Amino acid sequence: MSMLCRSAPIRSCAARLGLSLGVAGVARAAGVARQKHTLPDLSYDYGALEPHICAEIMQLHHSKHHATYVSNLNVTEEKYTEALAKGDVSLQVALQPALKFNGGGHLNHSIFWTNLSPSGGGEPQGALKDAIQRDFGSFQNLQQRMSAATVAVQGSGWGWLGYDTESGRLRIAACANQDPLQATTGLVPLLGIDVWEHAYYLQYKNVRPDYVKAIWNVINWENVSDRLKAAQKDQSLLCVAHRDQSLLCVAHRDQSLLCVAHRDQSLLCVAHRDQSLLCVAHRDQSLLCVAHRDQSLLCVAHRDQSLLCVAHRDQSLLCVFDEAQIQTRFPLKWSSYL
Ligand SMILES: *[C@@H]1O[C@H](CO)[C@@H](O)[C@H](O)[C@H]1NC(C)=O
Ligand SMILES: *[C@@H]1O[C@H](CO)[C@@H](O)[C@H](O)[C@H]1NC(C)=O
Ligand SMILES: *[C@@H]1O[C@H](CO)[C@@H](O)[C@H](O)[C@H]1NC(C)=O
């Protein structure tokens, strides 16, 4: 029972620390040397997206525009590191816009290239298709709404399909400013359409709607699906580590359940993916916990089943029975939990 009671203070501690590191974030916090950024290779030729996007655009866009973001990002980061080392705060502040612009450009384009494919187009499948249907009614609706939002971006910018980790829903966002999507809106970018003129002018001149219409023919839906999967996985779990790492916490994003594991792994947490059933077990298996998703009922059982506890969530009722009594009292329910 103590295990279940402990979740409340941990939850507020996590909020107070403001820590929301992903699993990778924990590794990062452990100290990994910073690396210079490089221009990613394309997995297709510059001419492979023709006739929808011509080779000349692709070549300039990748080898000139994107490359410039990357080298300026490298240079700016170097200056920024120096400014940090010198404690020069005003230089740090002065470098922010360049970091934002070049970092944003590098991030955006790195996503964009993988969002496109010569064998793209058609309609998304699987979980992505279902999510689009749920959040936009149909794929055609998504296309229409995203096209309209993207065409309407004033000046330079991007249209995005993003994943909102708070609500678990897909959302369209169109951004004209310089901030990368996630930093500004909290949306995880899944699909980006670049509508800076360098992305289409050579072929489509000023007719942005034609370019946006054509780009659907080369969208790599598998990549968008992968990104959705990754966003859901990353964000459904939060990990928080106390400074000394003696305590690790794992929480479902919607905070319906918190599990706590001591570093020595004396306690392990396991959650079923569909979240209908959540289980927590001490490593020595002397204690097993089973909780229903609606949390109306929480159960804890010693392995040897000599002692079983059943508690209502509001803790208005807490009962302890030996096994014989449980069998009598909750014959059906209990067996379905274990
Ligand atoms: C920085 O960016 C450029 C891209 O223009 C890249 O070629 C280079 O390898 C990067 N790294 C360094 C150390 O400059
Ligand atoms: C990157 O994407 C964001 C979000 O759409 C946008 O505001 C920003 O202008 C983009 N940056 C660059 C340099 O393309
Ligand atoms: C989508 O992009 C991600 C990130 O670059 C990559 O890991 C993944 O393999 C891509 N998936 C497809 C199907 O292109």
Side-chain angles (χ1 to χ4, degrees):
M1 229 32 236
S2 70
M3 160 67 219
L4 296 169
C5 298
R6 225 184 289 158
S7 41
I10 292 295
R11 188 175 309 178
S12 64
C13 134
R16 208 170 44 243
L17 290 173
L19 291 177
S20 58
L21 302 173
V23 176
V26 172
R28 228 180 294 129
V32 174
R34 169 130 37 113
Q35 288 177 345
K36 289 282 183 181
H37 305 280
T38 52
L39 182 66
D41 287 333
L42 300 189
S43 64
Y44 42 84
D45 294 334
Y46 287 141
L49 304 181
E50 290 189 341
H52 309 292
I53 305 178
C54 72
E56 196 184 4
I57 287 181
M58 288 301 293
Q59 189 197 345
L60 284 172
H61 198 173
H62 178 256
S63 73
K64 302 289 183 209
H65 290 280
H66 189 171
T68 304
Y69 291 125
V70 178
S71 45
N72 288 341
L73 178 60
N74 285 343
V75 171
T76 310
E77 273 197 353
E78 222 163 88
K79 287 190 194 153
Y80 194 85
T81 308
E82 280 170 31
L84 267 182
K86 283 194 214 137
D88 186 342
V89 176
S90 82
L91 182 53
Q92 287 167 43
V93 172
L95 288 167
Q96 296 284 344
L99 269 183
K100 210 195 259 182
F101 182 78
N102 294 298
H106 176 45
L107 286 174
N108 292 351
H109 286 90
S110 299
I111 297 169
F112 183 62
W113 307 130
T114 63
N115 281 163
L116 303 175
S117 161
S119 55
E123 298 197 9
Q125 302 298 322
L128 175 62
K129 177 185 179 173
D130 296 344
I132 288 173
Q133 245 151 22
R134 182 195 61 202
D135 297 338
F136 300 99
S138 70
F139 173 63
Q140 285 68 28
N141 268 353
L142 162 74
Q143 248 183 330
Q144 256 172 30
R145 287 180 47 190
M146 190 165 163
S147 295
T150 306
V151 168
V153 169
Q154 295 198 335
S156 302
W158 290 72
W160 289 101
L161 177 66
Y163 177 71
D164 181 345
T165 54
E166 294 302 323
S167 63
R169 305 238 152 195
L170 301 176
R171 271 179 42 200
I172 291 169
C175 310
N177 59 35
Q178 303 300 349
D179 304 328
L181 185 73
Q182 197 160 2
T184 317
T185 61
L187 295 179
V188 180
L190 305 178
L191 168 63
I193 301 180
D194 186 348
V195 287
W196 286 56
E197 283 191 343
H198 64 226
Y200 63 89
Y201 197 86
L202 281 176
Q203 187 176 0
Y204 293 93
K205 301 294 181 289
N206 58 333
V207 192
R208 188 190 279 177
D210 285 357
Y211 156 72
V212 171
K213 190 172 170 202
I215 206 169
W216 294 107
N217 295 309
V218 286
I219 297 299
N220 181 355
W221 290 112
E222 274 175 47
N223 185 262
V224 182
S225 289
D226 282 356
R227 290 179 184 283
L228 176 62
K229 240 178 271 161
Q232 286 171 329
K233 198 160 142 202
D234 266 16
Q235 305 292 331
S236 64
L237 285 182
L238 295 172
C239 305
V240 179
H242 273 263
R243 236 7 209 303
D244 67 357
Q245 308 222 336
S246 63
L247 190 68
L248 297 169
C249 319
V250 182
H252 276 270
R253 181 83 177 174
D254 68 1
Q255 311 228 333
S256 60
L257 183 80
L258 288 174
C259 311
V260 183
H262 280 271
R263 209 323 188 266
D264 69 359
Q265 309 222 335
S266 61
L267 193 66
L268 295 172
C269 313
V270 182
H272 276 264
R273 204 58 201 279
D274 71 358
Q275 310 210 345
S276 61
L277 187 68
L278 302 161
C279 315
V280 182
H282 272 276
R283 194 175 183 80
D284 69 359
Q285 309 224 333
S286 64
L287 188 69
L288 295 170
C289 315
V290 182
H292 266 264
R293 173 146 179 97
D294 70 2
Q295 306 218 342
S296 60
L297 191 67
L298 299 167
C299 313
V300 183
H302 276 273
R303 178 75 168 184
D304 67 3
Q305 308 222 337
S306 62
L307 187 68
L308 298 167
C309 318
V310 181
H312 279 270
R313 178 71 174 175
D314 67 5
Q315 309 221 338
S316 62
L317 187 69
L318 186 92
C319 320
V320 181
F321 303 96
D322 63 31
E323 193 187 1
Q325 281 173 298
I326 284 282
Q327 298 280 347
T328 337
R329 194 90 189 251
F330 302 103
L332 288 174
K333 280 186 193 159
W334 186 249
S335 56
S336 69
Y337 299 149
L338 292 178

